[in-house]
Amino acid sequence: MTSSELWTRANADRYDAEDAEMFSAAVLEPTLDFLAQLAGEGRALEFAIGTGRVGVPLRERGVPVVGIELSEHMAAVLRRKVDEATLPVILGDMATTVAPGEFTLVYLVYNTISNLLTQDEQVECFRNAARHLAPGGRFAIELGVPPLRFLPPGQVAVPFDVSDRHIGFDTFDLVEQILVSHHLTRDGDDGRYRRDNSRHRYAWPAELDLMARIAGLELERRVADWDGTPFAQDSAKHISVWRKPA
């Protein structure tokens, strides 16, 4: 069993609404442009496809997409948007589950590889991507850079959102490379907040490059965002692309 935490029915039902900004054209259009170019004339496999935020519109662009998803509840939300024949989804974990056929692109968006809480499982995720790729195919990951520079000495918490309806902050276990994202969300107007948290294993770009090498992949490109902004020491996240040798 994968170490990834399962999304519940309640999580899945409110996911799209709570992450509405991630569904905006400003976020999605450059993401889809980038991934469609990588896929070319081939098929794409999305690990942890979730509710289909990226996979569904990528399929609408003409790229054949297959998904792997651990949570049946997240997959059920996706299925309300598109049928199985149009976008097949296999229930299972992204580190070991195998989809039939070869792909020119395997991709993971929105920090999802961090849901695997051990280094061994993250390595297996790279190996699983390589297993699915045709020669010359590419594995793309979107992942935040660990914000450890914002930690004052002796503190382990970093806020990432303070707004009227949501307070979010991460706490860090620097030994185990585990961060916990804490969310306080106001659901109604009665002043009550709902508390949620999720665990993630953070990794530096260089560590991912080593995982790729173990899986037989080579770094091809790293940028700071889907629009191709150059990756620099102050970048908050990266889009990294590794290639399977032809």
Side-chain angles (χ1 to χ4, degrees):
M1 178 63 186
T2 178
S3 63
S4 293
E5 297 175 345
L6 275 171
W7 289 77
T8 66
R9 184 186 301 275
N11 294 142
D13 286 344
R14 59 176 175 251
Y15 180 82
D16 288 7
E18 289 193 344
D19 266 345
E21 181 182 351
M22 298 301 295
F23 287 79
S24 69
V27 173
L28 273 180
E29 288 303 313
T31 305
L32 299 173
D33 289 343
F34 195 105
L35 293 175
Q37 184 178 28
L38 289 179
E41 299 299 317
R43 303 164 71 221
L45 174 62
E46 181 171 354
F47 284 172
I49 194 169
T51 66
R53 178 182 68 90
V54 173
V56 170
L58 186 61
R59 180 65 186 89
E60 291 171 350
R61 285 197 173 202
V63 178
V65 177
V66 175
I68 291 175
E69 173 55 42
L70 183 62
S71 169
E72 63 179 312
H73 302 299
M74 296 288 276
V77 175
L78 179 150
R79 192 55 65 225
R80 299 171 197 162
K81 305 172 183 177
V82 64
D83 61 41
E84 176 72 17
T86 303
L87 201 166
V89 175
I90 301 168
L91 290 178
D93 73 90
M94 57 185 159
T96 62
T97 301
V98 177
E102 285 188 328
F103 299 84
T104 56
L105 171 65
V106 179
Y107 67 94
L108 265 170
V109 297
Y110 204 17
N111 303 318
T112 313
I113 194 171
S114 70
N115 291 354
L116 296 169
L117 300 178
T118 69
Q119 186 183 68
D120 285 345
E121 285 180 302
Q122 290 181 352
V123 169
E124 288 306 312
C125 183
F126 272 82
R127 284 177 166 153
N128 200 28
R131 181 182 299 123
H132 285 90
L133 286 173
R138 294 170 173 88
F139 183 33
I141 286 181
E142 176 188 23
L143 185 63
V145 176
L148 299 187
R149 291 194 305 166
F150 296 109
L151 283 175
Q155 295 192 26
V156 295
V158 173
F160 59 84
D161 184 34
V162 180
S163 58
D164 289 342
R165 306 197 72 87
H166 178 257
I167 297 172
F169 61 95
D170 293 330
T171 55
F172 293 84
D173 181 333
L174 302 181
V175 174
E176 298 296 330
Q177 286 185 219
I178 296 293
L179 72 83
V180 181
S181 286
H182 304 265
H183 302 268
L184 294 171
T185 306
R186 190 169 67 184
D187 283 329
D189 295 322
D190 60 0
R192 295 183 180 181
Y193 282 79
R194 169 172 44 85
R195 181 173 181 176
D196 298 294
N197 62 69
S198 59
R199 294 187 300 153
H200 307 268
R201 182 184 186 273
Y202 63 85
W204 300 97
E207 185 180 2
L208 299 182
D209 289 343
L210 183 55
M211 294 181 189
R213 288 177 58 191
I214 292 170
L217 305 176
E218 303 168 346
L219 180 66
E220 181 177 74
R221 186 183 184 193
R222 175 167 290 131
V223 293
D225 210 339
W226 296 106
D227 61 7
T229 301
F231 182 72
Q233 64 179 2
D234 292 327
S235 299
K237 72 174 184 180
H238 61 99
I239 316 297
S240 294
V241 180
W242 298 271
R243 184 174 181 271
K244 184 174 183 176

